[in-house]
Amino acid sequence: MNAPTPLATDASSPLHCDAVIVGGGPAGLMAAEVLAQAGVAVHLFDAMPSVGRKFLLAGKGGLNLTHSESHAPFVSRYAGRQPQIEPLVQAFGGPEVRAWAQGLGVETFVGTSGRVFPADMKAAPLLRAWLQRLRGLGVRFHMRHRWLGWGGDGALRFAAPVGEVQVTARAVVLALGGGSWARLGSDGAWVSLLAQRGVAVAPLRPANCGFDVPRMDAPAGETRRAFLQELLGRAPEGAVGWTPHFAERFAGQPFKSVALSFTDSQGRHFSRRGEFVATATGVEGSLVYAASQLLRDEIEAHGHATFHLDLLPDHAPERVLVEVRHPRGSRSLSSHLKSRLGLDGIKAGILYEHLGKDGMNDPLALAHAIKALPITVVAARPLDEAISTAGGVAFEALDEHLMAIAAPGVFCAGEMLDWEAPTGGYLLTASLASGVRAGQGVLRFLGTGAGG
């Protein structure tokens, strides 16, 4: 992916613009498209050498553009922020995303899960076509320009290869991302800059993230010491993770065809079939990500959360008990479980991890664990490892056009807003939709007559 050609900026004299976009992710690029199509001269600034880096990373395993489900279940994925996100995706939702991609020459298809992908499953061709369109509309890119906030005269300050650059603009769209994957540009450094301007920002938290499990073989006498270390902000060494035996054998391996269920202390329930992966310290993967909001909130409230894992969701509990109790003769228990129930590998390993030898030889305990194995998690993985983030600019600090009430002319879009959603196309769709809304808001603010 070739970087957009940077525009040399003279550090000695400010650049004067009608509209500035800060951030070259999907939300920023979409805001730039809306403005440029209306004839507004757009200057886009980004700290990285090229735009769309997280977008390209997301497409490595197949770019999930949006989801094909109907409007009601689609908007329900935004949970507590549904009232704020629904108007955005009502105007630019799944069908509009597919039409937009087609307009760039990228055909899409619906996968078996209902997710929508480009026909070639790749992000790079779509991004290339998008940048070509933006250049054709006159959008000017300034790469390696890191936003530093505002100067005393209200000008935007950027750290650039030529030194500090100042830019004045009639309207600004900030699309700086959340706080995950900082090496791709989303480092959350904007939080304090907006707070200084009086814009309310909720703390950034990991979303669509993995979790750590407590060490089951940690010495009991270490509990208080570990607790005190947590209070002091130091990760207690050895306090999390599977036993060395399990981690060495199974870290990185997937749990396939399982079902995860969880009910939090407020009665909110999650239940779904799918897959996830064991890590050296806990769990991650699509099924865990889908439950991550409830798990994270429960940990924040109570210090831990316990979900239940059905290792054989296609088997009734009665059948599992019958098979476990079936005489095994001279066969080992491992051979018996494999032949009667198809349980081996990581599934058998997790049973041994939790039950030990005594529990494994108790048919009732074993059968119950196969159908409802309790997995306790005690910490979300660090923010920078998360796929996305929760928290950000509060919608209550913005008007309906996503303009900051405390900073007229400053609009916010994308993941830096205070919302979250599961993977499956919902993140990208809402980011694009917020870029559309912010772009329309700028048009209205500039008085072009083309705003929404």
Side-chain angles (χ1 to χ4, degrees):
M1 177 62 59
N2 294 324
T5 303
L7 177 69
T9 306
D10 184 358
S12 64
S13 58
L15 176 67
H16 302 284
C17 308
D18 281 334
V20 162
I21 311 293
V22 186
L29 294 174
M30 185 56 78
E33 180 174 335
V34 169
L35 290 166
Q37 285 181 332
V40 176
V42 178
H43 290 259
L44 188 147
F45 296 80
D46 194 278
M48 305 304 288
S50 58
V51 299
R53 292 201 160 196
K54 194 173 180 181
F55 180 78
L56 289 173
L57 179 68
K60 279 196 171 182
L63 180 64
N64 186 190
L65 281 171
T66 187
H67 204 286
S68 63
E69 65 187 353
S70 59
H71 181 73
F74 190 101
V75 296
S76 72
R77 309 301 183 188
Y78 300 99
R81 282 305 190 184
Q82 179 177 338
Q84 290 78 24
I85 298 296
E86 184 167 8
L88 309 185
V89 299
Q90 180 76 55
F92 196 85
E96 290 76 18
V97 170
R98 297 189 72 181
W100 166 78
Q102 187 175 35
L104 289 170
V106 176
E107 296 298 324
T108 60
F109 73 95
V110 180
T112 55
S113 64
R115 300 182 181 196
V116 176
F117 301 90
D120 62 3
M121 298 291 287
K122 297 178 181 178
L126 188 151
L127 184 57
R128 278 197 295 268
W130 197 3
L131 293 177
Q132 184 177 358
R133 171 187 285 179
L134 293 174
R135 290 193 192 100
L137 290 169
V139 175
R140 306 183 78 172
F141 295 90
H142 306 253
M143 307 315 298
R144 295 186 172 89
H145 281 61
R146 182 174 297 278
W147 184 52
L148 302 175
W150 290 271
D153 59 355
L156 297 164
R157 299 171 54 225
F158 293 93
V162 296
E164 184 171 320
V165 171
Q166 297 203 5
V167 179
T168 62
R170 294 174 61 197
V172 179
V173 176
L174 300 177
L176 291 154
S180 62
W181 292 88
R183 65 183 177 84
L184 301 178
S186 300
D187 59 9
W190 52 266
V191 171
S192 61
L193 299 176
L194 285 181
Q196 291 167 13
R197 296 277 289 193
V199 179
V201 180
L204 298 179
R205 299 182 292 162
N208 292 298
C209 57
F211 294 88
D212 290 334
V213 299
R215 275 292 291 271
M216 296 184 65
D217 60 347
E222 292 294 298
T223 304
R224 177 173 172 77
R225 179 167 173 253
F227 175 70
L228 291 174
Q229 285 180 316
E230 270 192 55
L231 289 179
L232 293 172
R234 299 197 304 270
E237 185 178 352
V240 296
W242 307 106
T243 61
H245 175 75
F246 183 85
E248 288 167 9
R249 293 191 63 190
F250 300 112
Q253 293 192 24
F255 287 95
K256 293 186 175 182
S257 302
V258 296
L260 187 156
S261 60
F262 174 66
T263 301
D264 70 8
S265 55
Q266 300 180 42
R268 296 180 297 178
H269 184 67
F270 173 91
S271 181
R272 189 175 302 176
R273 293 176 62 160
E275 299 181 5
F276 68 95
V277 176
T279 66
T281 62
V283 293
E284 67 177 21
S286 58
L287 189 56
V288 171
Y289 298 157
S292 62
Q293 181 179 356
L294 292 183
L295 295 172
R296 181 201 64 215
D297 291 352
E298 187 75 359
I299 291 171
E300 289 178 353
H302 301 285
H304 61 88
T306 299
F307 63 83
H308 288 86
L309 192 61
D310 186 345
L311 297 171
L312 296 174
D314 291 325
H315 291 55
E318 296 79 10
R319 178 187 169 189
V320 170
L321 182 58
V322 167
E323 299 294 354
V324 167
R325 281 177 163 170
H326 191 278
R328 58 187 172 96
S330 61
R331 289 185 304 176
S332 68
L333 179 58
S334 296
S335 298
H336 179 69
L337 292 176
K338 183 177 181 180
S339 65
R340 303 299 302 185
L341 291 168
L343 274 174
D344 62 352
I346 193 171
K347 289 185 177 181
I350 196 69
L351 289 170
Y352 277 102
E353 176 85 352
H354 279 261
L355 294 176
K357 289 184 178 179
D358 290 342
M360 291 293 289
N361 287 308
D362 180 337
L364 283 174
L366 178 56
H368 180 74
I370 290 170
K371 293 299 293 179
L373 184 69
I375 304 289
T376 296
V377 290
V378 292
R381 293 299 298 163
L383 183 66
D384 196 45
E385 293 181 16
I387 289 179
S388 58
T389 52
V393 177
F395 280 92
E396 293 75 15
L398 307 172
D399 68 11
E400 62 181 310
H401 307 287
L402 302 184
M403 184 174 73
I405 296 169
V410 176
F411 297 77
C412 299
E415 200 180 320
M416 67 183 296
L417 300 176
D418 182 17
W419 62 281
E420 63 181 306
T423 57
Y426 309 105
L427 290 165
L428 182 55
T429 299
S431 291
L432 294 169
S434 68
V436 170
R437 176 59 63 90
Q440 292 172 340
V442 170
L443 295 178
R444 180 178 178 275
F445 182 79
L446 296 178
T448 66

mmCIF file of all heavy atoms in Angstrom, residues 376-393:
data_model
loop_
_atom_site.group_PDB
_atom_site.id
_atom_site.type_symbol
_atom_site.label_atom_id
_atom_site.label_comp_id
_atom_site.label_asym_id
_atom_site.label_seq_id
_atom_site.Cartn_x
_atom_site.Cartn_y
_atom_site.Cartn_z
ATOM 1 N N THR A 376 -13.356 -19.062 35.557
ATOM 2 C CA THR A 376 -13.320 -17.754 36.208
ATOM 3 C C THR A 376 -12.227 -16.898 35.583
ATOM 4 O O THR A 376 -11.105 -17.360 35.372
ATOM 5 C CB THR A 376 -13.060 -17.899 37.720
ATOM 6 O OG1 THR A 376 -14.156 -18.604 38.308
ATOM 7 C CG2 THR A 376 -12.933 -16.540 38.397
ATOM 8 N N VAL A 377 -12.571 -15.657 35.276
ATOM 9 C CA VAL A 377 -11.601 -14.696 34.753
ATOM 10 C C VAL A 377 -11.527 -13.521 35.720
ATOM 11 O O VAL A 377 -12.524 -13.147 36.346
ATOM 12 C CB VAL A 377 -11.977 -14.214 33.339
ATOM 13 C CG1 VAL A 377 -11.787 -15.337 32.326
ATOM 14 C CG2 VAL A 377 -13.412 -13.705 33.272
ATOM 15 N N VAL A 378 -10.339 -12.968 35.870
ATOM 16 C CA VAL A 378 -10.126 -11.949 36.902
ATOM 17 C C VAL A 378 -9.604 -10.627 36.360
ATOM 18 O O VAL A 378 -9.543 -9.637 37.102
ATOM 19 C CB VAL A 378 -9.159 -12.458 37.985
ATOM 20 C CG1 VAL A 378 -9.798 -13.585 38.785
ATOM 21 C CG2 VAL A 378 -7.832 -12.918 37.373
ATOM 22 N N ALA A 379 -9.246 -10.563 35.084
ATOM 23 C CA ALA A 379 -8.730 -9.305 34.529
ATOM 24 C C ALA A 379 -8.830 -9.335 33.018
ATOM 25 O O ALA A 379 -8.561 -10.363 32.381
ATOM 26 C CB ALA A 379 -7.270 -9.089 34.944
ATOM 27 N N ALA A 380 -9.245 -8.197 32.455
ATOM 28 C CA ALA A 380 -9.186 -8.053 30.999
ATOM 29 C C ALA A 380 -7.732 -7.842 30.602
ATOM 30 O O ALA A 380 -6.931 -7.313 31.366
ATOM 31 C CB ALA A 380 -10.032 -6.867 30.555
ATOM 32 N N ARG A 381 -7.389 -8.263 29.412
ATOM 33 C CA ARG A 381 -6.049 -8.021 28.914
ATOM 34 C C ARG A 381 -5.839 -6.519 28.694
ATOM 35 O O ARG A 381 -6.806 -5.750 28.609
ATOM 36 C CB ARG A 381 -5.823 -8.781 27.597
ATOM 37 C CG ARG A 381 -5.802 -10.288 27.750
ATOM 38 C CD ARG A 381 -4.681 -10.749 28.660
ATOM 39 N NE ARG A 381 -3.361 -10.391 28.099
ATOM 40 C CZ ARG A 381 -2.233 -10.377 28.798
ATOM 41 N NH1 ARG A 381 -2.236 -10.672 30.089
ATOM 42 N NH2 ARG A 381 -1.095 -10.059 28.205
ATOM 43 N N PRO A 382 -4.599 -6.044 28.623
ATOM 44 C CA PRO A 382 -4.337 -4.608 28.529
ATOM 45 C C PRO A 382 -5.032 -3.952 27.342
ATOM 46 O O PRO A 382 -5.293 -4.581 26.311
ATOM 47 C CB PRO A 382 -2.812 -4.538 28.380
ATOM 48 C CG PRO A 382 -2.316 -5.784 29.026
ATOM 49 C CD PRO A 382 -3.349 -6.829 28.737
ATOM 50 N N LEU A 383 -5.305 -2.669 27.504
ATOM 51 C CA LEU A 383 -6.039 -1.888 26.507
ATOM 52 C C LEU A 383 -5.410 -2.002 25.119
ATOM 53 O O LEU A 383 -6.110 -2.155 24.119
ATOM 54 C CB LEU A 383 -6.075 -0.421 26.953
ATOM 55 C CG LEU A 383 -6.850 0.566 26.081
ATOM 56 C CD1 LEU A 383 -8.336 0.242 26.113
ATOM 57 C CD2 LEU A 383 -6.613 1.995 26.548
ATOM 58 N N ASP A 384 -4.099 -1.958 25.046
ATOM 59 C CA ASP A 384 -3.439 -1.934 23.740
ATOM 60 C C ASP A 384 -3.570 -3.254 22.996
ATOM 61 O O ASP A 384 -3.337 -3.312 21.791
ATOM 62 C CB ASP A 384 -1.958 -1.572 23.902
ATOM 63 C CG ASP A 384 -1.327 -1.161 22.579
ATOM 64 O OD1 ASP A 384 -1.962 -0.373 21.842
ATOM 65 O OD2 ASP A 384 -0.232 -1.642 22.265
ATOM 66 N N GLU A 385 -3.941 -4.330 23.703
ATOM 67 C CA GLU A 385 -4.131 -5.623 23.041
ATOM 68 C C GLU A 385 -5.548 -5.811 22.528
ATOM 69 O O GLU A 385 -5.811 -6.747 21.762
ATOM 70 C CB GLU A 385 -3.815 -6.762 24.018
ATOM 71 C CG GLU A 385 -2.369 -6.859 24.438
ATOM 72 C CD GLU A 385 -2.136 -8.035 25.378
ATOM 73 O OE1 GLU A 385 -3.005 -8.917 25.451
ATOM 74 O OE2 GLU A 385 -1.078 -8.057 26.043
ATOM 75 N N ALA A 386 -6.467 -4.974 22.974
ATOM 76 C CA ALA A 386 -7.877 -5.152 22.621
ATOM 77 C C ALA A 386 -8.114 -4.854 21.147
ATOM 78 O O ALA A 386 -7.414 -4.036 20.535
ATOM 79 C CB ALA A 386 -8.751 -4.262 23.487
ATOM 80 N N ILE A 387 -9.124 -5.484 20.572
ATOM 81 C CA ILE A 387 -9.504 -5.188 19.197
ATOM 82 C C ILE A 387 -10.071 -3.779 19.101
ATOM 83 O O ILE A 387 -9.832 -3.058 18.130
ATOM 84 C CB ILE A 387 -10.520 -6.226 18.690
ATOM 85 C CG1 ILE A 387 -9.823 -7.575 18.489
ATOM 86 C CG2 ILE A 387 -11.172 -5.785 17.389
ATOM 87 C CD1 ILE A 387 -10.725 -8.671 18.020
ATOM 88 N N SER A 388 -10.814 -3.369 20.115
ATOM 89 C CA SER A 388 -11.404 -2.038 20.116
ATOM 90 C C SER A 388 -11.480 -1.540 21.554
ATOM 91 O O SER A 388 -11.066 -2.238 22.485
ATOM 92 C CB SER A 388 -12.813 -2.071 19.490
ATOM 93 O OG SER A 388 -13.662 -2.973 20.200
ATOM 94 N N THR A 389 -11.999 -0.340 21.719
ATOM 95 C CA THR A 389 -12.099 0.224 23.060
ATOM 96 C C THR A 389 -13.498 0.754 23.325
ATOM 97 O O THR A 389 -14.204 1.178 22.419
ATOM 98 C CB THR A 389 -11.084 1.366 23.277
ATOM 99 O OG1 THR A 389 -11.198 2.319 22.217
ATOM 100 C CG2 THR A 389 -9.672 0.845 23.308
ATOM 101 N N ALA A 390 -13.872 0.713 24.585
ATOM 102 C CA ALA A 390 -15.067 1.394 25.068
ATOM 103 C C ALA A 390 -14.620 2.711 25.686
ATOM 104 O O ALA A 390 -13.436 2.936 25.914
ATOM 105 C CB ALA A 390 -15.789 0.538 26.097
ATOM 106 N N GLY A 391 -15.578 3.573 25.995
ATOM 107 C CA GLY A 391 -15.217 4.880 26.518
ATOM 108 C C GLY A 391 -14.874 5.827 25.386
ATOM 109 O O GLY A 391 -14.863 5.461 24.209
ATOM 110 N N GLY A 392 -14.582 7.058 25.745
ATOM 111 C CA GLY A 392 -14.279 8.073 24.739
ATOM 112 C C GLY A 392 -15.149 9.295 24.922
ATOM 113 O O GLY A 392 -15.726 9.521 25.997
ATOM 114 N N VAL A 393 -15.253 10.096 23.880
ATOM 115 C CA VAL A 393 -16.013 11.347 23.949
ATOM 116 C C VAL A 393 -17.481 11.025 24.219
ATOM 117 O O VAL A 393 -18.115 10.273 23.467
ATOM 118 C CB VAL A 393 -15.872 12.150 22.646
ATOM 119 C CG1 VAL A 393 -16.736 13.412 22.700
ATOM 120 C CG2 VAL A 393 -14.419 12.517 22.400
#
